[in-house]
Each structure stands twice: as structure tokens, then as C-alpha cells.
């Protein structure tokens, strides 16, 4: 048996045990901003402000008023992700899956391949069957969309589905359009604003855990102050969880047919 002095010395010289959730800062890999993985938005000035584009490993937010083109801009970012070799998962709670594909295909094809048909009071835009087939074959194993028309006996949590497609199908770009409809497809039981916050917390953790980029589209409420980030509809905690926040919509200083994209965080 060790003597009392030996036990005292052992106790005195014992080293504290590190906890699993804590590491020495020196052991953390240095992140050089110039080599951080980012997705170009395709808009030169925005990419300049963001030093290369939207960062991975974060939940980013695109906000704006209803009917001003948030979903269209979200589709443009899906296009950018596909062109840069990323697999994508899309959830749209407002557009039918056929409409999501149509707008994405039109953006991928470019204006020179778009066929315009005048219907009297309005124009209809479409692509040739050959072009739609070519585009579809190009992103066949790269792009996946949640089918809101499928009704199953046991509805699976949307958040679980997103995580499955990140892990098993390599979908490192995720578009969630939009928060208000997405929370209804989760099994989180709480008051509305608390559910929004809990959903965003899990999305933010997923983005960090898998070094994915999750782009969340959120409606904008009527302005309440000088800080535009306070105008994101929902819990005030949502904007605190976001990496980059962009505001998209009309502006009095530009033509009505144009849109302004601002980086607010």
C-alpha cells in the first residue's frame, strides 16, 4: 500500500483532465480567410463584400417581402452550387416541384435558349424538350427535391430527411424555402416562435457538423427599426444563429423590374 506521503504527492502532481467538448486553441486548425470554402453568388459586388461568396459550415439567410423574388434568387444559388460541383437538396413549401425545376432549368439554360411565347396579355417561357432532357441528365445525381405531394402514413421529420441527404447523398448545399412552411413538417412540439428557433438551431448545427451550407429563406416583416436584421419574420434568435444575412427585393432607387440584394450581416 502506498504511504500517506506518496498519496499526497500523487494528488499534488495530478493533471486536470480535459473535457471532451474542450480542446486547446493551439490545436485548432488555423482558418485562412483566403482559402475558406465559399460559394460564389455570381454577383460580383456581393462576392467582393463576402470575400468570395457565401461560407460553408453556416446557416445563411435570404430574406425579403412576399412576391419580390426570394425564391428566384434562391434558385440562382442552387444553379451556382450545381455548377461548382456541389450536390443539392431543395425544400420548397410554396412552389410545386415542377415549377421549381422549370425555373431552375431556365436559369441554367440561359436567355439564348429560352423560347418566349406570347399569349396576348402575357408571355410564357419554356425550353425545348432536348434542352430540358440535357439539363436533367446533367444534374441527375446532383439535385434532389422534397416531394410535398407525397402523403405517407408516417410522416418523416423534414430535418431528419435533410440530414440523411447531407450524410448519404453528399448534399452540401441545402435550400429551405421557407421557414414558415418548413416548421410544419417537423415533430417539434412547441409554440410557433419557439419551434422556429429550435428548427434554426438544428439547421445551424447540421451546417457546422457536416461543413454544409444551408440557405434558409425567410419572409420579412414590416420594418420596425434601423437594423434590417430585426425585420426577419419570426423569432429574434433566428438572425443570431445565421452566418450571412441577405435582403432581396425592390428598392425606390432602382427600376421596378430590378431587384436589390443587400448583405445585412
Amino acid at each position: 500500500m502506498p504511504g500517506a506521503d506518496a498519496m499526497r504527492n500523487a494528488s499534488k502532481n495530478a493533471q486536470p483532465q480535459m473535457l471532451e467538448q474542450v480542446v486547446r486553441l493551439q490545436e485548432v486548425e488555423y482558418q485562412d480567410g483566403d482559402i475558406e470554402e465559399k460559394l460564389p453568388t455570381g454577383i460580383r459586388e456581393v462576392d467582393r463584400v463576402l470575400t468570395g461568396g457565401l461560407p460553408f459550415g453556416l446557416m445563411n439567410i435570404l430574406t425579403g417581402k412576399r412576391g419580390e423574388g426570394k425564391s428566384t434568387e434562391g434558385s440562382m444559388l442552387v444553379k451556382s452550387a450545381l455548377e461548382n460541383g456541389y450536390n443539392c437538396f431543395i425544400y420548397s413549401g410554396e412552389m410545386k416541384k415542377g415549377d421549381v425545376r422549370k425555373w431552375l432549368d431556365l436559369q441554367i439554360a440561359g436567355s439564348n435558349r429560352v423560347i418566349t411565347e406570347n399569349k396576348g396579355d402575357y408571355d410564357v417561357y419554356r425550353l425545348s424538350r432536348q434542352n430540358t432532357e440535357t439539363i436533367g441528365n446533367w444534374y441527375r445525381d446532383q439535385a434532389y427535391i422534397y416531394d410535398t405531394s407525397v402523403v405517407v402514413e408516417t410522416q418523416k421529420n423534414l430535418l431528419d430527411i435533410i440530414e440523411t441527404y447531407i450524410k448519404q447523398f453528399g448534399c452540401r448545399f441545402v435550400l429551405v424555402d421557407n421557414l414558415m412552411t418548413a416548421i410544419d413538417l417537423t415533430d417539434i412540439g412547441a409554440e410557433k416562435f419557439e419551434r422556429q428557433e429550435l428548427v434554426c438551431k438544428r439547421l445551424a448545427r447540421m451546417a457546422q457538423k457536416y461543413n454544409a451550407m444551408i440557405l434558409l429563406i425567410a419572409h420579412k416583416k414590416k420594418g420596425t427599426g434601423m437594423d434590417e436584421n430585426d425585420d426577419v419574420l419570426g423569432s429574434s434568435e433566428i438572425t443570431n444563429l445565421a452566418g450571412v444575412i441577405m435582403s432581396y427585393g425592390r428598392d425606390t432607387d432602382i427600376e421596378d423590374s430590378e431587384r436589390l440584394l443587400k448583405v445585412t450581416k
Side-chain angles (χ1 to χ4, degrees):
M1 294 289 293
D5 290 342
M7 294 183 67
R8 278 195 295 271
N9 289 335
S11 176
K12 183 178 180 180
N13 296 326
Q15 295 296 314
Q17 295 297 307
M18 293 280 289
L19 299 177
E20 290 183 13
Q21 298 91 340
V22 180
V23 297
R24 291 179 176 83
L25 182 60
Q26 181 269 337
E27 297 172 355
V28 176
E29 184 178 355
Y30 177 77
Q31 279 290 345
D32 189 329
D34 291 337
I35 61 173
E36 184 181 6
E37 188 175 13
K38 295 186 176 182
L39 176 70
T41 67
I43 303 173
R44 182 179 300 176
E45 185 61 18
V46 173
D47 289 338
R48 184 192 67 79
V49 171
L50 296 174
T51 61
L54 292 168
F56 281 78
L58 294 170
M59 178 189 72
N60 302 307
I61 291 178
L62 177 63
T63 186
K65 295 180 180 177
R66 288 178 173 86
E68 294 199 352
K70 298 185 304 299
S71 296
T72 301
E73 179 59 27
S75 182
M76 286 294 293
L77 292 169
V78 173
K79 170 180 177 287
S80 177
L82 291 170
E83 290 176 341
N84 282 277
Y86 295 104
N87 288 7
C88 300
F89 180 89
I90 303 166
Y91 162 75
S92 176
E94 295 189 346
M95 296 175 66
K96 294 183 292 185
K97 61 182 184 292
D99 291 332
V100 173
R101 177 177 177 180
K102 175 185 175 181
W103 284 112
L104 178 59
D105 286 6
L106 287 171
Q107 291 167 334
I108 291 171
S111 58
N112 60 321
R113 295 186 180 87
V114 174
I115 301 168
T116 305
E117 295 180 357
N118 183 264
K119 298 294 184 179
D121 295 333
Y122 61 92
D123 291 331
V124 173
Y125 305 99
R126 65 179 182 85
L127 298 174
S128 68
R129 180 176 295 275
Q130 180 181 358
N131 281 333
T132 57
E133 289 178 354
T134 299
I135 292 171
N137 289 331
W138 172 65
Y139 60 52
R140 174 179 170 80
D141 294 320
Q142 243 188 301
Y144 304 86
I145 186 167
Y146 182 91
D147 192 345
T148 55
S149 68
V150 174
V151 179
V152 294
E153 187 174 339
T154 304
Q155 188 73 41
K156 194 167 184 180
N157 188 331
L158 175 62
L159 297 175
D160 292 337
I161 293 173
I162 289 173
E163 188 162 16
T164 295
Y165 275 78
I166 293 175
K167 291 194 300 183
Q168 298 184 14
F169 293 84
C171 295
R172 295 188 56 222
F173 180 91
V174 176
L175 174 66
V176 178
D177 182 11
N178 59 59
L179 175 61
M180 299 302 290
T181 59
I183 62 172
D184 292 332
L185 296 174
T186 68
D187 55 8
I188 297 174
E191 184 269 335
K192 183 175 72 172
F193 285 154
E194 185 180 357
R195 287 169 69 199
Q196 293 173 359
E197 182 178 329
L198 292 172
V199 167
C200 289
K201 281 183 176 179
R202 184 164 171 194
L203 289 173
R205 285 197 296 268
M206 272 195 273
Q208 185 177 38
K209 181 178 180 179
Y210 300 110
N211 194 29
M213 186 204 301
I214 297 180
L215 180 65
L216 175 66
I217 293 183
H219 290 309
K220 178 180 282 190
K221 59 188 176 184
K222 292 182 179 179
T224 56
M226 296 298 291
D227 189 348
E228 289 194 49
N229 294 331
D230 292 336
D231 294 340
V232 177
L233 187 62
S235 166
S236 59
E237 184 65 19
I238 293 172
T239 55
N240 294 331
L241 294 166
V244 172
I245 299 178
M246 299 182 295
S247 172
Y248 185 86
R250 294 186 176 92
D251 189 86
T252 55
D253 294 330
I254 59 177
E255 296 292 331
D256 192 57
S257 60
E258 298 177 329
R259 298 292 184 270
L260 181 65
L261 182 63
K262 292 191 290 184
V263 178
T264 60
K265 178 184 176 185

